Amino acid sequence: MKSIRVHEPGAPEVMHLEEIPPLTLTSGQILVRVHAIGVNPVDTYIRAGKYARMPAMPYTPGTDASGVVAAIGEGVTRCKVGDRIYTAGTLTGAYADHTLCNESQVHPLPDRVTFEEGGGINIPYATACLALTRKAHAAPGETALIHGASGGVGIAAVQIARALGLRVIGTAGSERGLAMVKSQGAHEVLDHRTSDYPERLMKLTDGRGVDVIIEMLANVNLARDLTLLAKNGRVVIVGSRGPIEINPRDAMARDASIMGLMLFNAPEKELASIHEILAAGLKKGELRPVVGRTFQLTEASKAHHAVMEPGAYGKIVLLP
Ligand code: NAP
């Protein structure tokens, strides 16, 4: 079988497509024929050796794939051979033409969702759903700022927030991204490259501020976010690429809460319930990943460069 392998951490070019022995299935496991693979920023941090949880070398990157069940081990009851599925983590890595999973890592992919879209579900949608429901406890009628709405997590957050009945303001850093965020259901869009977007946000909320902020780049925005919150507002930090100084009084004045979120910390039971919520939204068509660019698996290094560039436009997906 074909698999991307990383023998030592480094630049995107340390990833090479290799022919490796076929995977062997044991009881309780599922062998998946992979059709599409979602590329997430965390894949690049791990590949670069800059992540707290590093795999043993060599390894195959990736957690998010979609595909078809090719074989099941003894005792597997959640799916059968031929089922369309998406993965929420794998045992052997997703950047390959086959991957092995535990039963709990495999979720049904509704017919209305393509394989390419299915590769973009797990990390973005589970993170956005946790942030809005379990952390922010966002309620219908509240206003949410999705700060960085043009990327994988952002689009998921816009769609989930709309499904929850929130008023949604989304930001992006390109004209194309802004148009897409609007088309995905944001009531208003703002360009986070402009210096006056905070004032425009305050105008959009009649000076009240927003109830919830889902923040993709806290090291740039957190100090200002605290000034954009309404009373009892909540900021959920999803992404941050460095330190930042804040004025705690901005939080005190609003009785505001700042919450961190790490998807990998979520207990299995909580993840199972999040994927049930996602299943309902995917089935109804309320949730549907936007695929911005596809690359062949042989071009994994190009995809890793692309996911770290500005001007995000949905998910980057690899095709084996
Ligand atoms: P992505 O697809 O690459 O999108 C990045 C987003 O950040 C884009 O919408 C981008 O907008 C936006 N951005 C760029 N500059 C910004 C600014 N100044 N203010 C606000 N937003 C800005 O990445 P992703 O998959 O959505 O992930 C987003 C971040 O969350 C990454 O840092 C990722 O590592 C992290 N993350 C964390 C968890 C967790 O468990 N905590 C889970 C998933 C992701 P433009 O490109 O349009 O400017």
Side-chain angles (χ1 to χ4, degrees):
M1 61 169 271
K2 288 190 172 27
S3 174
I4 293 287
R5 298 294 278 167
V6 175
H7 291 266
E8 56 180 329
E13 290 68 29
V14 298
M15 293 186 291
H16 295 289
L17 192 67
E18 294 180 9
E19 191 68 42
I20 63 166
L23 299 168
T24 39
L25 182 74
T26 60
S27 66
Q29 295 182 346
I30 295 160
L31 178 68
V32 178
R33 167 83 180 94
V34 174
H35 283 243
I37 304 141
V39 175
N40 289 289
V42 68
D43 303 345
T44 74
Y45 316 150
I46 295 170
R47 185 221 66 234
K50 293 179 181 153
Y51 200 66
R53 293 162 44 134
M54 287 298 293
M57 302 285 149
Y59 78 101
T60 297
T63 51
D64 297 3
S66 65
V68 170
V69 174
I72 55 171
E74 215 180 279
V76 168
T77 53
R78 279 194 65 195
C79 60
K80 58 183 190 317
V81 171
D83 283 358
R84 302 171 86 249
I85 57 94
Y86 71 91
T87 69
T90 77
L91 299 169
T92 54
Y95 288 25
D97 57 20
H98 287 81
T99 189
L100 269 185
C101 296
N102 281 329
E103 260 193 300
S104 64
Q105 293 174 318
V106 163
H107 301 280
L109 185 69
D111 285 341
R112 69 191 304 160
V113 183
T114 68
F115 285 119
E116 288 187 10
E117 292 163 348
I121 295 173
N122 174 44
I123 286 187
Y125 280 76
T127 304
C129 192
L130 268 173
L132 284 160
T133 62
R134 303 295 152 89
K135 293 287 177 183
H137 296 288
E142 287 194 314
T143 301
L145 170 66
I146 311 300
H147 215 172
S150 48
V153 181
I155 291 165
V158 168
Q159 295 175 357
I160 294 166
R162 278 304 307 261
L164 290 172
L166 302 183
R167 180 181 177 207
V168 180
I169 304 173
T171 77
S174 70
E175 287 309 319
R176 193 166 167 250
L178 287 163
M180 188 261 290
V181 172
K182 190 104 212 233
S183 77
Q184 291 307 307
H187 295 92
E188 313 281 352
V189 290
L190 295 169
D191 186 338
H192 50 234
R193 292 168 310 179
T194 59
S195 56
D196 68 339
Y197 83 86
E199 290 80 54
R200 293 177 52 213
L201 178 116
M202 290 313 278
K203 263 191 204 149
L204 287 173
T205 59
D206 296 325
R208 182 180 169 273
V210 294
D211 302 292
V212 172
I213 299 180
I214 307 298
E215 182 52 72
M216 307 304 161
L217 200 56
N219 56 303
V220 172
N221 297 321
L222 185 59
R224 198 187 306 110
D225 284 350
L226 297 179
T227 69
L228 301 177
L229 285 173
K231 280 256 169 68
N232 299 307
R234 293 87 76 197
V235 185
V236 184
I237 301 171
V238 168
S240 186
R241 293 183 176 164
I244 182 169
E245 187 176 309
I246 62 164
N247 184 349
R249 284 194 168 273
D250 289 329
M252 290 158 65
R254 295 164 177 79
D255 276 6
S257 307
I258 304 170
M259 285 166 273
L261 180 163
M262 185 59 80
L263 179 63
F264 295 145
N265 290 338
E268 203 167 292
K269 206 171 158 197
E270 183 159 36
L271 288 177
S273 109
I274 289 292
H275 284 282
E276 290 297 331
I277 298 174
L278 299 182
L282 290 163
K283 238 190 227 160
K284 271 199 238 165
E286 285 173 347
L287 308 184
R288 183 165 205 154
V290 173
V291 177
R293 288 176 81 178
T294 59
F295 292 90
Q296 295 302 308
L297 188 55
T298 46
E299 302 175 303
S301 58
K302 275 194 197 168
H304 273 209
H305 282 290
V307 78
M308 298 306 280
E309 284 163 8
Y313 191 88
K315 282 300 299 180
I316 293 176
V317 169
L318 292 170
L319 303 174

